[in-house]
Amino acid sequence: MFNSDQISADSIVTGNCTKDIVDPLLQQVVDIVGAAVSDLGQLVGQPVATILATVDGTAQAAVGDVAQLLAKVLTLVVNALGALLKVLGGNLSLVGDVLSAVGDILCQLVQAVVKLVDGLLDALLPLVGGLVGTLTSLGLNTLGGVLGLVL
């Protein structure tokens, strides 16, 4: 399970940036986001009021709120991957397979939420436009395409 103490802004540096260190951390991202995608799949076919209901059921989230939340998740993960890319000196060969898995699961996350919430992509696009450069550097073109960004 994810332990926030394992990842910090300076926990991966050139001296310890090995496949044995990085792969398990990125796999945690895949596992955590994958569980969220699975949970979202259980909402398919539910009424919009159920999908957008707050945890206590007393209110309903707006599409913009959902877009903000998803944008924060995407920004956090993509910026962390961008920082990793800098530590790697731009050489993605060390993390290619698991980086691809992270990109795939983020695509699945976006697709799952867009499927559930009408108008989400339009609300999300302006919030994630700043990720274009990092997505391009990481080679996450499919994610950029799912988001409707021009890479």
Side-chain angles (χ1 to χ4, degrees):
M1 186 50 124
F2 176 73
N3 178 349
S4 62
D5 294 335
Q6 292 177 312
I7 302 174
S8 69
D10 57 1
S11 65
I12 297 178
V13 294
T14 303
N16 72 357
C17 191
T18 65
K19 191 165 185 60
D20 290 340
I21 298 292
V22 174
D23 276 6
L25 296 174
L26 294 180
Q27 188 58 52
Q28 285 182 1
V29 173
V30 172
D31 294 345
I32 291 165
V33 176
V37 170
S38 177
D39 290 347
L40 288 168
Q42 296 176 19
L43 293 174
V44 173
Q46 296 293 320
V48 173
T50 300
I51 294 169
L52 295 177
T54 58
V55 174
D56 64 5
T58 60
Q60 199 169 17
V63 171
D65 296 333
V66 177
Q68 286 280 347
L69 181 61
L70 183 55
K72 286 179 182 182
V73 169
L74 293 171
T75 299
L76 175 70
V77 174
V78 171
N79 285 341
L81 293 172
L84 175 62
L85 180 65
K86 287 180 184 176
V87 172
L88 293 172
N91 181 2
L92 293 175
S93 63
L94 178 72
V95 293
D97 292 342
V98 73
L99 176 63
S100 179
V102 171
D104 290 347
I105 200 67
L106 290 176
C107 285
Q108 291 175 36
L109 176 65
V110 171
Q111 290 168 329
V113 178
V114 166
K115 186 177 185 178
L116 293 170
V117 182
D118 287 336
L120 180 84
L121 198 53
D122 291 335
L124 181 63
L125 188 57
L127 303 174
V128 296
L131 299 177
V132 169
T134 307
L135 289 170
T136 301
S137 297
L138 292 166
L140 298 178
N141 300 333
T142 302
L143 177 57
V146 167
L147 291 168
L149 298 171
V150 177
L151 302 182

